[in-house]
Amino acid sequence: MNMSAATVRLAGKDDVAAFKNIRLEALRLEPAAFASRLGDWEALPDEEWLRRITSGTVLIAFRNGEPVGLMGLLREQSAKSHHRATVVMVYVRASERGTGTARALLEALTRLARDAGILQLELTVSIDKPAARRFYAREGFVEIGRLPAGLIDEGREIDEVMMAKRIG
């Protein structure tokens, strides 16, 4: 595909509707890829959506004003692990895959993390998502382990691959 990457920006209080839209889409269309359940997020009051977008690092990719991708960052809070952060909520709409949108999200997230003094990014990805694992490997993440039955989706145990990338 020859499309340019979508526009990526740090989400703020005015982006709650866009965040809600793309997060619920992700959980609805790719339920096995996330630890969260659609019903849990659908039930959140608007104040909680606002808190989640403003208390952490949430990036949204937009194309023609419409949210098409999402990526978040959760920083470790303890003093000895404050240099580490976990990449979360990663989703790119199927029509955006192969356009550079995932890379644009990850590059923006990496810049923000580095500027905040984070030295290492970590993530887990379902064993059922080989394309995602290949993407992260191309972006410099290395497999550091496996989490047996990291997720259980509708009774099915799904192993997760743990990956990390030094950025500092």
Side-chain angles (χ1 to χ4, degrees):
M1 209 179 273
N2 199 359
M3 298 167 64
S4 61
T7 304
V8 173
R9 73 169 183 255
L10 182 64
K13 60 181 175 29
D14 295 336
D15 295 310
V16 172
F19 175 45
K20 188 173 184 177
N21 174 301
I22 197 68
R23 181 62 173 154
L24 293 178
E25 176 183 311
L27 293 169
R28 187 171 56 255
L29 298 180
E30 304 274 351
F34 300 100
S36 298
R37 284 203 170 93
L38 176 62
D40 296 339
W41 281 73
E42 284 177 327
L44 294 176
D46 288 342
E47 310 81 67
E48 181 58 19
W49 284 96
L50 178 63
R51 189 193 69 73
R52 289 184 187 202
I53 209 172
T54 55
S55 66
T57 301
V58 176
L59 293 175
I60 302 175
F62 291 88
R63 184 176 300 283
N64 302 323
E66 185 180 353
V68 295
L70 178 66
M71 196 174 283
L73 192 67
L74 289 178
R75 188 174 195 159
E76 293 290 325
Q77 294 304 305
S78 66
K80 292 181 182 178
S81 61
H82 199 60
H83 65 286
R84 297 168 44 216
T86 303
V87 179
V88 296
M89 294 190 302
V90 178
Y91 173 73
V92 173
R93 184 175 285 170
S95 61
E96 287 289 315
R97 294 175 193 163
T99 67
T101 297
R103 173 176 279 140
L105 280 161
L106 185 58
E107 286 174 352
L109 195 77
T110 301
R111 273 193 307 277
L112 287 170
R114 200 177 276 128
D115 290 349
I118 292 168
L119 303 177
Q120 182 166 291
L121 296 178
E122 302 166 5
L123 58 88
T124 59
V125 61
S126 167
I127 198 79
D128 293 349
K129 297 289 181 187
R133 293 192 347 255
R134 287 192 302 271
F135 165 74
Y136 292 123
R138 281 194 308 273
E139 296 301 318
F141 284 81
V142 294
E143 187 173 324
I144 57 170
R146 300 241 173 160
L147 196 56
L151 298 175
I152 298 179
D153 184 44
E154 296 183 1
R156 188 170 76 90
E157 294 185 355
I158 303 167
D159 290 0
E160 288 190 298
V161 176
M162 300 159 61
M163 301 181 85
K165 177 182 180 178
R166 295 287 297 180
I167 62 168

